[in-house]
Amino acid sequence: MKKLRKRISDSYRQSDFGYSIMRPFYKLYILGLRLVPDEYIIKRSFKRHMGYALNLNYPRTLNEKINWLKLYDRTDLHTLVADKYKVREYVEEKIGKHYLIPLLYHTKNSDDIRPENLPDSNFIIKTNHDSSGGLIVRDKSSINWSMARKRFKRLLKENHYYSTIEWQYKNIEPRIVVEELLTCEDGSIPDDYKIHCFNGKTAFIMIDFDRHTNKRTRNLYDPEWNLIPCNWGRPYGKILQEPSNFKEMKMLAEKLSKDFTYVRVDLYLVKGDIFFGELTFHHASGFQKFYTQECDYKLGQQLKITKQ
């Protein structure tokens, strides 16, 4: 069933035929979701992904608490900073604009995505209101721009809230943003440091390796950079030495997390410089299994939640 859902999703997102056939049914599905309480949908999805019932009255695991926060931790500020365009103002105010990836272009119209409007340097095109990744461009002449415009036209119509019931995405005004592509000295995409902050403090750091390949791995480190013996959704990766400016990275993440109960602060380290990536409030939508449930419980005990 999981493979079938993925095939349907891929056909809808990547095939003109699949999109035209399934779009009317998708609209009906969205209309139906509006009649169903968020709690019911979240509980049903949790049981399907995690294999056990979600306890919203006494959540104990980290994944349970992430889903609890989906329902009971909703503010306008969440919407503001989940917007990959508007969050730039928040970051500039909290830690300074020199940590922002240079913004090269933005538009609300997919027809504007044309080579003459875009720089000759390497860049990435993405939307501000979902988690669909982006289009990496290293050579404008190699891109089918007609297909790219079609892709982003479709993305601008989507509302990520209805896929995950992550409320902060519901009211974001869709926009296309173009940012400078960060690369290492060898031209590769840098690893990102996902700093999970609980109640304004660093709880653990997640490092994903080889994110754009089929050999993706992941390590978790505690705030003192000790490897945590937990696998969360991925096998262990290479051992990574503590970055020279790790203390600064933690300080920045904690400044950005002060207003929230739980948030994942994504940072990039490129040639010694730190860049802000994004703020994520519900990692993997709270549906990603640990290899051992004990880790889910241990990390869940560290996160303190209170209903607003």
Side-chain angles (χ1 to χ4, degrees):
M1 183 62 72
K2 186 175 180 180
K3 290 182 178 180
L4 177 60
R5 288 195 190 96
K6 187 177 188 310
R7 283 201 295 268
I8 293 173
S9 176
D10 289 346
S11 177
Y12 174 73
R13 294 181 181 280
Q14 301 172 16
S15 161
D16 289 345
F17 177 76
Y19 183 85
S20 61
I21 291 295
M22 287 184 277
R23 182 64 182 173
F25 295 100
Y26 180 75
K27 287 183 176 180
L28 288 174
Y29 169 71
I30 295 303
L31 286 174
L33 283 182
R34 293 177 180 177
L35 303 175
V36 181
D38 286 357
E39 180 176 329
Y40 174 82
I41 298 172
I42 288 173
K43 282 184 172 180
R44 188 170 180 271
S45 297
F46 188 90
K47 181 66 180 293
R48 175 162 56 87
H49 285 91
M50 303 301 293
Y52 65 96
L54 171 62
N55 187 338
L56 290 172
N57 292 323
Y58 301 101
R60 297 172 61 197
T61 68
L62 179 55
N63 278 299
E64 281 186 310
K65 289 185 176 182
I66 288 173
N67 278 279
W68 186 95
L69 289 167
K70 280 188 195 177
L71 287 167
Y72 302 120
D73 191 28
R74 299 177 171 184
T75 70
D76 290 340
L77 184 58
H78 283 77
T79 297
L80 175 73
V81 301
D83 183 324
K84 294 179 178 64
Y85 174 72
K86 291 186 176 179
V87 71
R88 298 175 67 87
E89 297 178 13
Y90 182 82
V91 172
E92 183 174 345
E93 177 187 338
K94 291 290 184 179
I95 61 174
K97 65 180 180 180
H98 52 285
Y99 292 105
L100 291 168
I101 299 172
L103 178 68
L104 305 177
Y105 189 71
H106 64 92
T107 180
K108 298 176 186 177
N109 189 345
S110 59
D111 288 338
D112 293 335
I113 302 302
R114 299 176 180 277
E116 58 266 28
N117 292 334
L118 302 171
D120 293 326
S121 58
N122 296 339
F123 55 87
I124 182 169
I125 311 173
K126 59 187 179 182
T127 53
N128 66 324
H129 67 299
D130 69 2
S131 59
S132 61
L135 174 63
I136 292 175
V137 180
R138 297 178 187 266
D139 176 7
K140 289 196 296 186
S141 66
S142 68
I143 302 297
N144 183 326
W145 290 104
S146 176
M147 290 296 295
R149 285 190 290 273
K150 185 180 294 186
R151 169 184 172 181
F152 283 100
K153 183 177 181 179
R154 292 174 180 174
L155 285 174
L156 290 176
K157 295 179 181 179
E158 302 295 328
N159 191 319
H160 193 52
Y161 161 73
Y162 293 107
S163 300
T164 62
I165 314 300
E166 295 180 54
W167 177 87
Q168 67 272 17
Y169 295 110
K170 187 175 184 179
N171 300 311
I172 295 176
E173 183 180 19
R175 183 187 302 263
I176 300 168
V177 295
V178 181
E179 294 179 340
E180 179 182 310
L181 180 67
L182 299 179
T183 57
C184 301
E185 292 182 357
D186 62 359
S188 63
I189 304 299
D191 298 325
D192 57 342
Y193 295 74
K194 301 178 186 295
I195 303 179
H196 293 246
C197 294
F198 295 176
N199 313 107
K201 295 292 183 182
T202 300
F204 63 94
I205 303 89
M206 172 185 292
I207 315 294
D208 279 14
F209 305 101
D210 302 314
R211 288 182 300 124
H212 300 281
T213 72
N214 59 3
K215 297 180 180 180
R216 188 169 174 178
T217 57
R218 172 179 294 165
N219 287 350
L220 271 59
Y221 294 89
D222 69 17
E224 285 69 50
W225 203 262
N226 299 303
L227 184 67
I228 300 175
C230 284
N231 295 96
W232 195 6
R234 306 278 178 186
Y236 289 125
K238 60 187 177 184
I239 299 300
L240 193 67
Q241 296 298 313
E242 178 181 330
S244 59
N245 45 4
F246 178 53
K247 289 183 180 179
E248 182 183 2
M249 296 173 76
K250 285 195 299 181
M251 178 270 291
L252 296 173
E254 290 176 1
K255 282 187 175 182
L256 292 170
S257 73
K258 285 297 183 186
D259 296 319
F260 308 106
T261 301
Y262 163 72
V263 65
R264 194 192 79 202
V265 182
D266 291 5
L267 301 175
Y268 294 99
L269 184 59
V270 182
K271 302 169 187 175
D273 293 325
I274 301 170
F275 292 94
F276 168 80
E278 65 180 75
L279 297 179
T280 298
F281 292 107
H282 311 105
H283 172 77
S285 202
F287 298 144
Q288 192 165 70
K289 289 183 179 180
F290 286 83
Y291 281 32
T292 61
Q293 197 174 32
E294 181 184 4
C295 292
D296 207 351
Y297 278 107
K298 282 185 176 180
L299 291 173
Q301 294 309 299
Q302 296 178 34
L303 177 59
K304 308 304 178 187
I305 57 175
T306 54
K307 186 176 289 191
Q308 301 296 314

